Amino acid sequence: MTSATTAPRGKRAGRPEPADSEILKLGQLFNKGFGGVGMLLILGFALSLSTDVFLTGTNLDNLGRQVSIYAILAVAQLMVILTAGIDLSVGAVVGLSGVVAAKVVFETAGGIHVVWAVLLALGVGGLVGLIIGLVVSVVKLPPFIVTLGMM
């Protein structure tokens, strides 16, 4: 071996490789707060063994539909938290928007089309958010208090 064909250990493309103590092993990863991932894998494995319908397309579709609304809310709440804010009224505003959409579809004379009901529900949620935003930014009340009151 010549020194021109082999690079010294720890050097690759001008960057040093991490030391062995800097690389997380799988056991260390679960000690860092990722224990829920392991538990989720164990639970999924156990459920797939105990029943023959857990890993079917229909069940996974149902799980995806049920989780999707919470995933959307979690992403929206993440944006609020990343900007050092807090919004306690998210669930109440979603509930209000859902009730508005259901009322105009089912309890009005003839009912309106679902698309218009969804747009109206989005408008109601946006209006509540606008009111909260104006009170926080103009009146200078803490977001915790405003969203708790709006809830």
Side-chain angles (χ1 to χ4, degrees), residues 7-61:
R9 184 171 178 182
K11 301 287 183 187
R12 182 179 61 196
R15 284 191 264 167
E17 289 189 19
D20 288 338
S21 63
E22 295 174 334
I23 299 174
L24 285 177
K25 307 280 189 289
L26 187 59
Q28 293 171 327
L29 185 65
F30 289 126
N31 290 336
K32 296 280 184 189
F34 290 98
V37 175
M39 188 52 120
L40 185 65
L41 292 174
I42 291 169
L43 187 61
F45 182 71
L47 286 172
S48 65
L49 289 179
S50 66
T51 179
D52 56 347
V53 294
F54 181 71
L55 286 179
T56 62
T58 304
N59 188 45
L60 294 177
D61 182 50

Side-chain angles (χ1 to χ4, degrees), residues 20-117:
D20 288 338
S21 63
E22 295 174 334
I23 299 174
L24 285 177
K25 307 280 189 289
L26 187 59
Q28 293 171 327
L29 185 65
F30 289 126
N31 290 336
K32 296 280 184 189
F34 290 98
V37 175
M39 188 52 120
L40 185 65
L41 292 174
I42 291 169
L43 187 61
F45 182 71
L47 286 172
S48 65
L49 289 179
S50 66
T51 179
D52 56 347
V53 294
F54 181 71
L55 286 179
T56 62
T58 304
N59 188 45
L60 294 177
D61 182 50
N62 286 338
L63 287 173
R65 288 176 192 261
Q66 292 173 3
V67 169
S68 63
I69 185 68
Y70 299 112
I72 293 168
L73 291 175
V75 168
Q77 189 69 12
L78 173 68
M79 297 302 166
V80 172
I81 291 172
L82 287 177
T83 59
I86 187 75
D87 189 355
L88 302 175
S89 64
V90 172
V93 173
V94 168
L96 173 68
S97 300
V99 167
V100 166
K103 284 277 194 187
V104 297
V105 168
F106 294 113
E107 293 191 9
T108 56
I112 66 170
H113 196 271
V114 175
V115 173
W116 293 112

